[in-house]
Amino acid sequence: WNSTPGFDASRYYQVTVAPSAGYILNLDSLSFGVRRSGTGPRDFAIRSSLDNYAANLGTASASSPEISVAGDAFHFQNDIAPSSDITGNRVSLPTAFDTLTQPVTFRFYAANPESASGSFTVYDVTFTGAAAVPEPEEYAAMSAGTLVAFALARRRYRSSAS
């Protein structure tokens, strides 16, 4: 991990979630476990591809006294044995994660290790939310958009064939 303060944009863990074809995905939150060595990163945060990983996500919370939360970022309070798994970490996702029709990637960034050889692990990432089939009027809007795109492509083809 980067030994300078702050998150290194080139070092992260990532997971991608995508709706099945014909479905809309509404994500409410994600929960996960973490672990660090005694010299691993002290801070971590989650970002997403929706804003090209520019900002930390949502409202963070942790159930362990070993983790403190400052707004949207997490901090390991104490030196913990490398085998200590800390569960109960959660990020509530904003409304931008409602009605997803494309895949979205989440990245876990860590920062401020006590040593460059320190370790940090993320595991058991779980998403809560719902997958729904679009309502008939949403299908009509999608179909209309497809028909317009088809008509434009056909017009271009005829123009270029002339």
Side-chain angles (χ1 to χ4, degrees):
W1 297 100
N2 188 3
S3 60
T4 59
F7 295 109
D8 180 347
S10 68
R11 295 178 182 246
Y12 51 83
Y13 294 114
Q14 77 177 24
V15 60
T16 301
V17 63
S20 295
Y23 284 81
I24 292 174
L25 194 57
N26 297 309
L27 296 177
D28 298 323
S29 66
L30 65 97
S31 58
F32 55 94
V34 291
R35 180 179 336 141
R36 91 182 262 279
S37 67
T39 60
R42 286 282 190 180
D43 303 306
F44 63 98
I46 299 100
R47 298 176 179 179
S48 86
S49 59
L50 289 187
D51 69 352
N52 202 27
Y53 313 103
N56 297 346
L57 285 180
T59 304
S61 63
S63 62
S64 170
E66 298 293 338
I67 304 278
S68 66
V69 176
D72 55 9
F74 297 86
H75 177 75
F76 284 97
Q77 291 290 94
N78 303 305
D79 290 331
I80 312 165
S83 62
S84 296
D85 294 339
I86 301 175
T87 60
N89 307 297
R90 185 172 186 269
V91 172
S92 297
L93 298 172
T95 57
F97 293 90
D98 292 347
T99 66
L100 296 172
T101 58
Q102 299 295 317
V104 62
T105 300
F106 295 87
R107 289 184 178 170
F108 293 77
Y109 293 93
N112 306 320
E114 294 174 35
S115 165
S117 63
S119 66
F120 172 70
T121 303
V122 176
Y123 62 93
D124 288 341
V125 178
T126 304
F127 294 93
T128 56
V133 176
E135 296 296 323
E137 61 272 7
E138 292 171 341
Y139 275 127
M142 287 188 292
S143 296
T146 302
L147 289 173
V148 168
F150 177 73
L152 289 173
R154 187 171 181 196
R155 180 182 291 167
R156 285 187 195 135
Y157 174 76
R158 283 187 177 175
S159 296
S160 66
S162 302

